[in-house]
Amino acid sequence: MMNTQIYITGTNRIPAQLKNEKSFDCTLIDNPYSLRPALQNSDAEKIIVVFLPFLEVRHFDLYSYLQKTTRNVKTFFVVNELSSSMKIRLKSRNDFVVLWKTEEANLLKDIQAHLSGRQLELRQDKREMQESRAMVSPSLLPLGIENRGFQPIMGGAFENISLNGSCLKIKAPFYTKKDFVNLTYQNKEGEYVSVEGQVRWSRWNETEQAQELGVQFLTQA
């Protein structure tokens, strides 16, 4: 079985998480316009990882062309910023996988998810790492009574946070998809803030013995 070919451009280093994955063969490409002959050298599954400060139409057109003219190719962009118009274009076309630079640590996991057939969607906003802890409890809004079962106040650990949502972990599986929750935490300015949200997904992490929650905010801090 051939290894997946990973071609990396826009950076002078191969991310350690990809370098250490034995099922990948990683190659740095200085000039993206030299990608096409490299892509045609193999029938294996091919991933292009493109690091960019800002994704522009010319990048979109170039990698669309490469994907249309070469078999088994998928492009992952790792970007610092996106314009609103480009966000709309990416959402409507769904040609590429786009990660914010703050999500680079998820690159290996997302490539593996793509190779296993999962559809990956662009996050609406950049998610920043958040070191503070949160208190998680049923929502204070009337919608909170729609939750089922006993749900105590739990201490949680953020993985990341954005304007519109967060990923966090709690030590027991008390919440499920569609539950309404309240998060109280200390922001970067040291102030305690409280936001209401809804659980969009949940899963049990057997290794860490923790429940992972993806929460969409309904109110702003």
Side-chain angles (χ1 to χ4, degrees):
M1 182 176 176
M2 283 192 240
N3 283 358
T4 299
Q5 305 292 310
I6 310 285
Y7 299 93
I8 302 161
T9 187
T11 181
N12 59 6
R13 62 177 179 83
I14 297 175
Q17 56 185 303
L18 300 185
K19 190 186 299 184
N20 297 331
E21 175 53 51
K22 302 302 183 188
S23 61
F24 294 163
D25 288 334
C26 297
T27 304
L28 280 175
I29 301 290
D30 290 332
N31 183 354
Y33 290 96
S34 65
L35 269 167
R36 192 164 185 233
L39 293 171
Q40 293 175 332
N41 285 338
S42 170
D43 290 326
E45 194 80 33
K46 296 174 279 289
I47 303 287
I48 306 171
V49 180
V50 186
F51 288 84
L52 291 170
F54 195 85
L55 178 57
E56 301 175 19
V57 172
R58 62 191 175 92
H59 304 125
F60 188 99
D61 292 342
L62 170 63
Y63 292 98
S64 289
Y65 174 76
L66 286 173
Q67 289 188 174
K68 286 175 184 174
T69 57
T70 314
R71 293 177 62 248
N72 301 330
V73 176
K74 190 70 172 182
T75 303
F76 280 63
F77 289 113
V78 183
V79 302
N80 290 47
E81 298 292 342
L82 281 175
S83 67
S84 297
S85 60
M86 186 57 75
K87 281 185 191 178
I88 293 169
R89 190 170 187 178
L90 290 166
K91 289 267 189 184
S92 63
R93 288 281 297 273
N94 207 25
D95 293 348
F96 309 114
V97 177
V98 184
L99 301 178
W100 298 101
K101 187 73 169 76
T102 53
E103 299 177 291
E104 186 182 342
N106 297 329
L107 181 58
L108 172 60
K109 184 170 66 175
D110 284 347
I111 289 176
Q112 291 170 330
H114 163 72
L115 293 173
S116 68
R118 271 184 50 204
Q119 188 73 34
L120 299 170
E121 294 185 357
L122 168 67
R123 289 192 192 278
Q124 184 66 24
D125 298 288
K126 285 187 288 187
R127 295 208 163 187
E128 304 289 348
M129 298 307 295
Q130 171 66 265
E131 295 182 359
S132 66
R133 297 181 63 80
M135 298 302 293
V136 186
S137 61
S139 174
L140 301 175
L141 299 174
L143 291 169
I145 64 174
E146 297 180 15
N147 295 3
R148 296 181 181 178
F150 174 68
Q151 294 172 323
I153 297 175
M154 298 281 296
F158 282 113
E159 288 193 349
N160 53 52
I161 192 168
S162 75
L163 288 174
N164 293 308
S166 171
C167 295
L168 70 155
K169 295 177 183 177
I170 58 176
K171 286 297 184 181
F174 278 111
Y175 290 93
T176 61
K177 184 178 178 180
K178 296 187 178 179
D179 280 347
F180 293 92
V181 296
N182 174 269
L183 301 181
T184 301
Y185 64 96
Q186 195 172 17
N187 65 18
K188 290 181 179 179
E189 288 72 40
E191 302 168 332
Y192 283 92
V193 296
S194 184
V195 294
E196 304 291 338
Q198 186 178 31
V199 177
R200 307 305 294 176
W201 56 262
S202 71
R203 59 178 172 243
W204 181 250
N205 185 320
E206 189 66 36
T207 304
E208 298 185 29
Q209 289 293 290
Q211 184 181 27
E212 299 175 342
L213 301 174
V215 177
Q216 179 182 9
F217 294 157
L218 303 177
T219 61
Q220 294 295 321

